[in-house]
């Protein structure tokens, strides 16, 4: 029962970190688009925040996935795409 609870907790942590990663990427893209349309530097705040927060979030996610080698390839793909997306902006 305790193993089940721990596994569920770890799964929830992975889901939360993955959701946070997606949210940061969406916020960065939205801010970038807003800046391109308006030239208002305030729209760059979500992008700047995402650039700062994404690396530690990805490191944390990778750490949580060490116990899930079946998901590691998916993580590497997510990490690669996230870095590419931020570099494009």
């Amino acid at each position: 029962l305790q193993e089940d609870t721990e596994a569920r907790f770890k799964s929830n942590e992975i889901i939360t970190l993955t959701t946070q990663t997606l949210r940061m990427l969406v916020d960065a893209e939205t801010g970038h688009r807003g800046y391109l349309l308006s030239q208002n530097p305030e729209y760059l705040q979500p992008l700047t925040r995402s650039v700062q927060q994404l690396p530690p979030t990805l490191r944390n996610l990778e750490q949580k996935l060490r116990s899930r080698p079946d998901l590691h390839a998916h993580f590497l793909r997510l990490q690669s795409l996230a870095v590419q997306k931020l570099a494009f902006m």
Side-chain angles (χ1 to χ4, degrees):
L1 185 62
Q2 185 174 355
E3 285 179 18
D4 226 19
T5 302
E6 288 176 19
R8 231 175 298 145
F9 181 73
K10 284 184 179 182
S11 292
N12 284 338
E13 285 181 316
I14 290 168
I15 290 168
T16 298
L17 289 167
T18 304
T19 302
Q20 287 173 350
T21 299
L22 175 61
R23 190 174 310 126
M24 282 182 237
L25 291 169
V26 169
D27 288 349
E29 185 177 37
T30 301
H32 183 245
R33 188 177 334 109
Y35 173 74
L36 291 175
L37 292 172
S38 70
Q39 297 299 304
N40 183 342
E42 287 183 28
Y43 283 103
L44 291 175
Q45 289 176 359
L47 174 59
T48 302
R49 191 171 40 251
S50 293
V51 166
Q52 293 170 348
Q53 293 176 352
L54 192 60
T57 301
L58 287 172
R59 280 192 300 274
N60 197 3
L61 180 57
E62 183 176 29
Q63 183 181 14
K64 301 294 180 195
L65 288 174
R66 286 189 182 149
S67 63
R68 297 288 311 268
D70 57 316
L71 296 177
H72 194 257
H74 296 291
F75 167 77
L76 292 176
R77 178 82 172 133
L78 171 64
Q79 183 181 40
S80 173
L81 292 171
V83 168
Q84 288 176 28
K85 186 66 172 173
L86 289 180
F88 176 73
M89 292 186 245

